[in-house]
């Protein structure tokens, strides 16, 4: 029996509704319905697709649950190479970047599109006829791993582009895990007696590189777009800022903290503003990225070896470093509470030298199985006490 017009219609309505809620939740960060209601819509769609399997399409939201495990990942050659960025570590490095841009463009002042530097994994998404065709990791910059099945499970990644979006498009961005989702995942791993991840970046990488995409589907991965492979293929968009707005209108999550600033003063003010906000952001960042805003100016500046001359990453001080555990002391608080404190070989992390870290309690020491002489990871986030 073939599906009636009524069923077809209901399937279409459910898919639109579910993707609209995915969009509100994962892209706008503003959920529109309670989880239970979402689950109800989802189960109804699953029921209809089970009854009429011929209605299942690759872009149905029900297909975001993962597919049969692969033997290994295939290789994909990128449409345009995925380059890396040069780094700036000091104000002077950022000022020199601005000076080189001004000199290269022979102009008085340059406008920059500026945004956070997401601490995740670079990926590329290729759309054909408005459908997600393939997605890959960066790999060596020219060829990456085909992780399409895994990327399909990431709800922030659109499977279908809306009418009006270019039908051929290669979007570049970063897959990452929110700090709170990472903490929950690690608690789940711990309860299940599984290995915990060192940080959100490792958790995102480990989740994306699963040969079994059904496992990836259970990991809370997010995505942010920060560019396209070939801006010249979109001639009506003349600046990076306009491209980011367009990507947002096509359903891609982009950073709400992006801005356009002028000159080195603008760059450094942005660096400081995001630095102050860093600890409060839901995801980890390791710096900010400055890009000459006008694509014509980007093309004029071009590339040097494997990095663009028109963009640079201005890094924040590292929040993690390795050091040695020298001793464990016990601190007695005013209320009599006992807190074990790790004495560490001094290490520079997050812009300060750390020599002590609280271990919270005895259980925590047992759980982490820390012993004198161990090499430990010291993490410092904003003003938070080193962990
Ligand atoms: S633009 C030509 N923008 O940083 C390269 N990259 O070394 C264009 N990254 O692995 C990259 N946030 O994945 C750009 N807002 C951002 C970024 C960003 C993170 C990563 C990127 C790449 C590395 C560049």
């Amino acid at each position: 029996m073939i599906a009636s017009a009524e069923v077809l219609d209901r399937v279409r309505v459910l898919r639109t509704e579910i993707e609209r809620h995915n969009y509100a939740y994962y892209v706008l960060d503003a959920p529109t319905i309670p989880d239970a209601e979402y689950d109800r819509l989802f189960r109804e769609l699953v029921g209809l697709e089970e009854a009429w399997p011929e209605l299942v399409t690759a872009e149905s939201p029900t297909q975001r649950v993962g597919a049969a495990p692969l033997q290994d990942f295939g290789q994909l050659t990128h449409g345009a190479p995925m380059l890396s960025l040069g780094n700036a570590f000091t104000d002077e490095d950022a000022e020199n970047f601005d000076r080189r841009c001004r000199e290269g463009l022979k102009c008085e002042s340059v406008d920059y599109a500026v945004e956070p530097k997401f601490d995740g994994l670079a990926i590329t998404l290729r759309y054909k006829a408005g459908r997600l065709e393939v997605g890959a990791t960066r790999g060596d910059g020219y060829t990456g791993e085909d992780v399409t099945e895994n990327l399909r499970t990431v709800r922030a990644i659109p499977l279908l582009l809306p009418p009006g979006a270019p039908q051929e498009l290669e979007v570049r961005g970063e897959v990452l895990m929110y700090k709170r989702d990472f903490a929950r995942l690690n608690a789940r791993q711990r309860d299940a007696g599984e290995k915990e991840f060192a940080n959100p970046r490792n958790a995102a990488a480990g989740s994306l590189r699963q040969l079994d995409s059904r496992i990836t589907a259970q990991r809370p991965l997010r995505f942010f777009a920060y560019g396209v492979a070939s801006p010249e293929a979109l001639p009506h968009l003349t600046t990076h800022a306009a491209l980011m707005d367009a990507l947002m209108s096509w359903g891609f999550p982009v950073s709400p903290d992006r801005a356009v600033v002028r000159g080195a003063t603008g760059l450094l003010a942005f660096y400081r503003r995001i630095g102050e906000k860093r600890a409060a952001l839901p995801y980890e960042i390791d710096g900010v990225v400055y890009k000459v805003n006008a694509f014509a100016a980007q093309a004029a500046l071009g590339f040097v070896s494997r990095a663009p001359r028109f963009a640079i990453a201005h890094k924040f001080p590292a929040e993690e470093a390795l050091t040695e555990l020298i001793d464990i002391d016990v601190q007695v608080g005013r209320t009599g509470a006992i807190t074990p404190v790790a004495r560490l070989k001094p290490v520079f992390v997050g812009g300060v030298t750390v020599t002590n870290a609280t271990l919270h309690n005895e259980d925590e020491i047992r759980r982490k199985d820390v012993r004198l002489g161990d090499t430990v990871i010291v993490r410092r986030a904003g003003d938070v006490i080193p962990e």
Side-chain angles (χ1 to χ4, degrees):
M1 198 173 72
I2 57 165
S4 65
E6 225 166 295
V7 168
L8 274 172
D9 210 45
R10 184 64 188 153
V11 164
R12 212 170 301 131
V13 168
L14 286 168
R15 285 180 186 160
T16 314
E17 271 291 280
I18 292 168
E19 284 298 353
R20 197 167 63 79
H21 296 307
N22 279 343
Y23 179 78
Y25 190 94
Y26 292 99
V27 182
L28 303 179
D29 230 345
T32 36
I33 50 165
D35 288 358
E37 180 63 11
Y38 179 92
D39 292 344
R40 199 190 59 72
L41 296 172
F42 200 89
R43 276 198 308 272
E44 187 185 343
L45 180 58
V46 170
L48 291 176
E49 289 182 352
E50 274 170 5
W52 287 278
E54 69 276 16
L55 298 187
V56 178
T57 65
E59 290 77 29
S60 173
T62 59
Q63 303 306 295
R64 290 191 183 272
V65 292
L70 302 171
Q71 291 295 331
D72 51 48
F73 296 117
Q75 296 287 310
L76 272 180
T77 303
H78 305 313
M82 294 178 77
L83 302 171
S84 53
L85 290 170
N87 288 323
F89 296 100
T90 63
D91 287 7
E92 200 190 345
D93 292 344
E95 283 158 0
N96 285 335
F97 165 71
D98 173 56
R99 183 181 44 72
R100 288 195 303 272
C101 289
R102 278 187 285 114
E103 286 172 3
L105 297 168
K106 298 188 178 54
C107 67
E108 292 278 292
S109 73
V110 177
D111 282 348
Y112 299 96
V114 292
E115 55 207 47
K117 184 170 187 295
F118 305 103
D119 198 7
L121 269 100
I123 59 141
T124 189
L125 300 168
R126 209 183 294 158
Y127 291 84
K128 273 239 168 79
R131 298 187 140 77
L132 176 62
E133 191 190 46
V134 288
T137 60
R138 178 168 179 274
D140 63 5
Y142 299 94
T143 306
E145 281 176 325
D146 179 345
V147 287
T148 311
E149 289 310 324
N150 301 23
L151 291 170
R152 283 184 178 284
T153 71
V154 179
R155 284 167 177 74
I157 295 179
L159 301 176
L160 275 179
L161 299 182
Q167 296 301 289
E168 309 266 307
L169 186 68
E170 188 167 337
V171 175
R172 301 270 160 94
E174 202 93 347
V175 163
L176 50 78
M177 201 176 279
Y178 275 13
K179 296 179 208 172
R180 60 167 189 264
D181 292 335
F182 161 74
R184 238 178 270 146
L185 171 64
N186 257 1
R188 221 163 67 197
Q189 293 284 105
R190 190 154 68 230
D191 292 345
E194 304 264 343
K195 191 178 123 297
E196 289 179 54
F197 296 100
N199 53 46
R201 189 182 182 286
N202 285 1
S207 302
L208 193 64
R209 300 199 60 257
Q210 289 285 339
L211 288 166
D212 187 344
S213 53
R214 291 169 302 193
I215 297 178
T216 312
Q218 287 159 26
R219 301 282 173 80
L221 293 175
R222 306 267 177 160
F223 173 73
F224 281 99
Y226 55 62
V228 293
S230 315
E232 61 282 2
L234 306 166
H236 62 294
L237 297 171
T238 59
T239 63
H240 183 77
L243 170 66
M244 298 305 278
D245 291 345
L247 283 170
M248 190 166 91
S249 75
W250 301 332
F252 294 94
V254 296
S255 170
D257 291 303
R258 67 194 188 283
V260 176
V261 302
R262 181 158 296 177
T265 325
L267 297 180
L268 294 177
F270 182 74
Y271 179 79
R272 300 220 160 83
R273 186 155 64 78
I274 298 298
E276 281 162 19
K277 224 181 145 174
R278 183 184 188 185
L281 288 175
Y283 44 81
E284 293 200 334
I285 60 173
D286 55 347
V288 291
V289 181
Y290 308 144
K291 302 171 186 176
V292 170
N293 195 25
F295 287 134
Q298 289 191 1
L301 286 166
F303 299 84
V304 53
S305 67
R306 294 184 61 187
R309 272 202 203 87
F310 56 80
I312 199 165
H314 192 172
K315 303 293 276 285
F316 291 132
E319 284 187 315
E320 272 187 15
L322 290 178
T323 191
E324 193 187 320
L325 178 66
I326 298 169
D327 206 353
I328 298 176
D329 288 348
V330 173
Q331 227 168 45
V332 184
R334 265 180 308 150
T335 59
I338 289 175
T339 311
V341 178
R343 303 288 173 218
L344 304 165
K345 189 165 160 211
V347 61
F348 192 70
V349 57
V352 298
T353 300
V354 172
T355 50
N356 303 317
T358 52
L359 292 162
H360 304 292
N361 57 47
E362 205 179 315
D363 286 350
E364 192 72 2
I365 301 181
R366 290 236 166 72
R367 192 178 69 70
K368 290 194 165 129
D369 191 27
V370 279
R371 289 156 194 250
L372 305 193
D374 275 359
T375 299
V376 294
I377 300 171
V378 180
R379 196 191 335 273
R380 187 177 180 277
D383 295 330
V384 180
I385 308 162
E387 180 192 354

